[in-house]
Amino acid sequence: MSVLIKMLLGVASWINPESRKKMSLKSERRGIHVDQSELLCKKGCGYYGNPAWQGFCSKCWREEYHKARQKQIQEDWELAERLQREEEEAFASSQSSHGAQSLTFSKFEEKKTNEKTRKVTTVKKFFSASSRVGSKKEIQETKAPSPSINRQTSIETDRVSKEFIEFLKTFHKTGQEIYKQTKMFLEAMHYKRDLSIEEQSECTQDFYQNVAERMQTRGKVPPERVEKIMDQIEKYIMTRLYKYVFCPETTDDEKKDLAIQKRIRALHWVTPQMLCVPVNEEIPEVSDMVVKAITDIIEMDSKRVPRDKLACITKCSKHIFNAIKITKNEPASADDFLPTLIYIVLKGNPPRLQSNIQYITRFCNPSRLMTGEDGYYFTNLCCAVAFIEKLDAQSLNLSQEDFDRYMSGQTSPRKQESENWSPDACLGVKQMYKNLDLLSQLNERQERIMNEAKKLEKDLIDWTDGIAKEVQDIVEKYPLEIKPPNQSLAAIDSENVENDKLPPPLQPQVYAG
């Protein structure tokens, strides 16, 4: 989380009051800015990082996780050996110092020491490879008598299974091998439900990686087809595993969901102006885009496949970009996107937000999270949630007193005067004052429109007068002179003495067709 905090502190430069004084009121902006480099893996591999992975991408995070896990196992092993040595030394010293005591007391000490030694040995066996294999076998024997997965499949699961089989038929032998590996993986995951969710996630990520590498090396499958096959594999296995690995009881995902939901409810008073959101919801098209974005982010919870959940986030983000583009009449920038995404999350309050983020992080195909627009939008969503969790008075350019009053519900920045009612006030009176407030707003809008109309009329009159004056100036500068007709030209045919010899003029004739 330290990386995320540094990132948020770095991008929230708009909260500095000195920088705001340097800008005019018209151009004042407190945008939430995130550089592209701050969204990437902090190890410098070029892929997108994630706050859930402490700023690493999924590949680098797994490497770091393996190193930390091996280190922890080694430390636990050394601790177990040290405890065993201390117990043995204590037992030897007790034998030498209490040799003269009664036989009953010696047997009691020996029994106690043997019990402790057995516990230490059990701890050592727990961290050994052989004990793990044995425990898994015991789980298999106690959990189910047969290796088949006994599960009541839903209609959606049956449909996805049929689609997966039909999809693999086009790949012939490679498809058969993929289906066999997938079935074996599901069988193995059936017996690993007692493992932690992180270990199940690691098994799934290993399976993704192994299948992709096998298709590229052995099957010689092109990368674009590998991506399509991996999408279908993810859809098939996660549809079956969804109810076991989404928000499991062994994690605190549900607790985090309730915490972020309560936090967003407490921030219901936050306005777009406080976040400097460049979206005007009074424009009908923009309002429709905002509604669609909220619908998409809420719809994410109804999907079962991580890729489908990512698709909802991507659709939501594209609606946000369209809303910004319509409002500003220019292409939206990344600096405008994050504040608007924060506003959409606050306004929509998506259900089980943290559980969905954790589910995508744990079980999505890693190539989607590390690159592409899906990974970019998902990383921004994680940043938005982290910002909401850390949001304070300074972030919104408010005093601590006002922030506390808004958070406690004592008042609201949008309706401070109209909501100061006593608990026993008549609902009709409240509605009447609410309608009067709306009428007042409409009256202000009408006056503003009338003033603009009068201004337009004056501009048209001034333009007409200006054109007339310009025409008059040109006429005065270049006056029109009308000369009388030239007499000599009028009598040019009078001197022709041979007119009588000319033939008569042609007369029009009508021919009957």
Side-chain angles (χ1 to χ4, degrees):
M1 292 302 294
S2 60
V3 176
L4 179 61
I5 294 173
K6 290 180 180 178
M7 181 180 68
L8 292 175
L9 291 176
V11 303
S13 59
W14 50 273
I15 60 177
N16 187 0
E18 295 181 359
S19 62
R20 294 197 309 273
K21 293 180 181 178
K22 297 179 182 179
M23 297 184 292
S24 62
L25 294 175
K26 186 176 181 180
S27 62
E28 182 178 1
R29 180 169 182 78
R30 297 163 290 162
I32 304 170
H33 173 68
V34 174
D35 292 333
Q36 184 75 9
S37 59
E38 295 173 342
L39 299 178
L40 300 178
C41 175
K42 68 178 184 180
K43 204 171 182 179
C45 64
Y47 297 118
Y48 286 120
N50 194 298
W53 297 322
Q54 300 180 5
F56 294 102
C57 67
S58 62
K59 182 179 179 182
C60 297
W61 165 248
R62 291 179 65 196
E63 294 176 356
E64 296 294 326
Y65 177 76
H66 278 298
K67 292 180 181 177
R69 189 178 179 186
Q70 292 297 328
K71 183 180 178 181
Q72 184 65 36
I73 292 175
Q74 184 65 28
E75 292 178 354
D76 292 340
W77 179 270
E78 294 175 356
L79 176 61
E81 288 184 338
R82 183 169 58 84
L83 290 175
Q84 186 175 9
R85 287 196 303 269
E86 292 177 356
E87 290 292 337
E88 291 175 351
E89 292 174 359
F91 176 73
S93 62
S94 63
Q95 287 286 353
S96 60
S97 60
H98 300 282
Q101 292 184 357
S102 63
L103 182 62
T104 305
F105 184 75
S106 298
K107 288 184 178 181
F108 172 76
E109 286 291 332
E110 183 179 358
K111 184 178 180 181
K112 182 178 179 182
T113 304
N114 291 337
E115 183 69 22
K116 291 183 178 180
T117 305
R118 189 170 73 252
K119 289 181 179 179
V120 174
T121 307
T122 304
V123 174
K124 292 178 63 177
K125 288 182 179 179
F126 176 76
F127 293 102
S128 62
S130 60
S131 65
R132 289 187 175 184
V133 176
S135 62
K136 290 181 180 179
K137 292 181 178 178
E138 291 175 2
I139 292 175
Q140 294 179 4
E141 292 175 358
T142 57
K143 278 229 165 185
S146 63
S148 62
I149 300 178
N150 299 322
R151 175 185 309 168
Q152 183 179 2
T153 57
S154 62
I155 298 177
E156 183 179 0
T157 303
D158 294 336
R159 178 180 58 81
V160 172
S161 300
K162 293 178 182 178
E163 292 176 356
F164 184 61
I165 294 173
E166 291 296 325
F167 174 79
L168 293 180
K169 285 182 179 179
T170 59
F171 295 92
H172 307 293
K173 186 176 180 181
T174 304
Q176 295 177 1
E177 183 66 22
I178 292 173
Y179 184 75
K180 181 180 178 181
Q181 295 177 13
T182 306
K183 293 293 290 184
M184 291 175 61
F185 170 75
L186 290 175
E187 294 281 347
M189 289 296 292
H190 174 70
Y191 300 114
K192 293 180 180 180
R193 292 179 192 168
D194 288 344
L195 298 179
S196 67
I197 194 64
E198 299 299 336
E199 291 176 317
Q200 295 184 55
S201 170
E202 186 178 355
C203 293
T204 306
Q205 297 297 330
D206 288 337
F207 174 72
Y208 287 151
Q209 184 177 357
N210 294 335
V211 172
E213 291 178 353
R214 183 170 297 184
M215 284 190 291
Q216 293 176 351
T217 56
R218 297 185 182 180
K220 305 298 181 182
V221 182
E224 59 274 8
R225 300 193 72 181
V226 171
E227 193 68 23
K228 293 181 179 179
I229 295 174
M230 293 305 301
D231 289 341
Q232 292 296 324
I233 291 175
E234 177 191 313
K235 182 178 181 181
Y236 175 67
I237 65 175
M238 296 316 302
T239 301
R240 288 179 168 271
L241 298 177
Y242 175 79
K243 60 182 180 181
Y244 303 111
V245 298
F246 181 82
C247 191
E249 297 180 355
T250 56
T251 65
D252 58 348
D253 292 350
E254 185 177 1
K255 182 179 179 181
K256 292 180 179 179
D257 289 335
L258 296 175
I260 190 64
Q261 195 173 46
K262 182 178 179 181
R263 175 71 172 174
I264 293 176
R265 285 175 181 168
L267 293 170
H268 69 279
W269 47 268
V270 176
T271 63
Q273 292 76 19
M274 293 179 180
L275 296 171
C276 205
V277 175
V279 169
N280 184 8
E281 295 187 67
E282 294 183 359
I283 302 176
E285 295 180 1
V286 175
S287 180
D288 292 341
M289 290 295 174
V290 171
V291 172
K292 290 179 180 179
I294 295 174
T295 303
D296 289 332
I297 198 68
I298 293 176
E299 188 181 4
M300 173 180 63
D301 185 61
S302 64
K303 305 298 181 181
R304 304 178 72 176
V305 183
R307 180 170 62 94
D308 295 340
K309 292 181 181 292
L310 279 179
C312 292
I313 299 174
T314 301
K315 288 193 296 182
C316 168
S317 302
K318 290 184 177 180
H319 287 315
I320 290 175
F321 272 106
N322 290 334
I324 298 173
K325 182 179 180 181
I326 296 173
T327 301
K328 301 180 66 176
N329 200 20
E330 62 182 17
S333 64
D335 294 339
D336 297 328
F337 170 66
L338 184 58
T340 312
L341 179 61
I342 294 172
Y343 173 68
I344 293 297
V345 174
L346 288 174
K347 195 168 183 179
N349 197 0
R352 300 192 290 187
L353 182 57
Q354 287 286 6
S355 291
N356 283 286
I357 290 177
Q358 293 297 329
Y359 177 71
I360 295 173
T361 302
R362 292 164 180 158
F363 297 101
C364 184
N365 186 1
S367 61
R368 284 192 170 274
L369 295 183
M370 294 191 298
T371 57
E373 62 177 5
D374 289 344
Y376 174 76
Y377 293 139
F378 179 71
T379 304
N380 276 273
L381 177 62
C382 295
C383 292
V385 174
F387 181 85
I388 291 172
E389 292 176 340
K390 303 294 182 181
L391 190 143
D392 55 10
Q394 192 179 17
S395 304
L396 300 176
N397 195 29
L398 296 173
S399 65
Q400 189 62 43
E401 181 182 357
D402 290 341
F403 182 82
D404 294 338
R405 286 193 297 116
Y406 296 156
M407 290 295 292
S408 62
Q410 296 177 3
T411 184
S412 172
R414 288 174 290 186
K415 299 180 181 180
Q416 294 184 2
E417 296 180 1
S418 62
E419 291 190 355
N420 290 331
W421 298 96
S422 60
D424 55 347
C426 178
L427 295 177
V429 175
K430 291 183 180 180
Q431 187 65 34
M432 180 185 66
Y433 276 95
K434 182 178 180 181
N435 294 337
L436 289 175
D437 185 46
L438 292 175
L439 289 174
S440 176
Q441 295 178 12
L442 290 174
N443 187 34
E444 292 177 359
R445 290 181 60 186
Q446 183 180 7
E447 290 180 357
R448 185 167 61 252
I449 293 173
M450 290 299 297
N451 291 334
E452 294 293 333
K454 290 179 180 179
K455 182 181 178 182
L456 178 60
E457 182 182 9
K458 183 177 180 301
D459 292 341
L460 289 174
I461 294 174
D462 293 342
W463 179 79
T464 304
D465 294 342
I467 295 296
K469 187 176 183 304
E470 290 180 4
V471 172
Q472 184 65 28
D473 292 342
I474 293 174
V475 170
E476 291 177 357
K477 187 175 182 180
Y478 305 100
L480 179 64
E481 296 181 2
I482 302 177
K483 296 182 180 181
N486 193 342
Q487 296 295 330
S488 59
L489 294 177
I492 191 170
D493 293 334
S494 62
E495 298 177 357
N496 192 353
V497 295
E498 298 181 353
N499 286 341
D500 55 345
K501 297 181 180 181
L502 294 175
L506 296 176
Q507 298 294 330
Q509 298 180 6
V510 179
Y511 293 92

